[in-house]
Amino acid sequence: MPGYGREYWAERTARHRRRSYPAFRGKHAADVVVIGGGLTGSTAAYVFANAGLSVILLEAGRLASGSTAGGVGAILPEPSGSFRAVEAAVGRRDARSAWAETQKAAADF
């Protein structure tokens, strides 16, 4: 396992399999422009393109080379707060609903 801050996925992908793209120059038009090619930006671009929109995805470096490259790609189906804290803040019914929705979101993703 690489050390903290290392590029987990890049270290496991042969250089010849890492695509490169030319610098973005000139005038272009699109329905959507997504800035940032990490997990969130790439997913957003995919969803928009899948919906039939024209998309431009811009990334300063390599796609998925920032924080995304340092993670192992785990999608955790739980809110960031503890169940008890959420329950205390909004009640049991809403806390259960929040947990159910985050599990559905993780499964959808």
Side-chain angles (χ1 to χ4, degrees):
M1 182 75 139
Y4 178 77
R6 305 281 296 275
E7 295 183 348
Y8 183 86
W9 296 111
E11 291 175 1
R12 285 160 176 70
T13 304
R15 287 207 181 276
H16 72 279
R17 293 198 61 213
R18 296 184 214 166
R19 293 184 183 173
S20 61
Y21 300 91
F24 189 78
R25 298 191 196 304
K27 292 184 179 183
H28 300 275
D31 297 318
V32 178
V33 176
V34 178
I35 300 173
L39 181 63
T40 303
S42 295
T43 300
Y46 172 82
V47 170
F48 287 128
N50 205 35
L53 299 170
S54 62
V55 179
I56 295 174
L57 174 61
L58 299 175
E59 168 58 42
R62 293 181 79 78
L63 290 176
S65 65
S67 298
T68 296
V72 294
I75 306 299
L76 302 176
E78 59 187 44
S80 59
S82 73
F83 182 84
R84 289 182 189 223
V86 174
E87 180 184 27
V90 298
R92 180 168 289 183
R93 181 177 176 194
D94 288 340
R96 283 184 177 162
S97 177
W99 251 253
E101 289 302 314
T102 54
Q103 288 178 342
K104 283 176 28 183
D108 286 347
F109 189 75

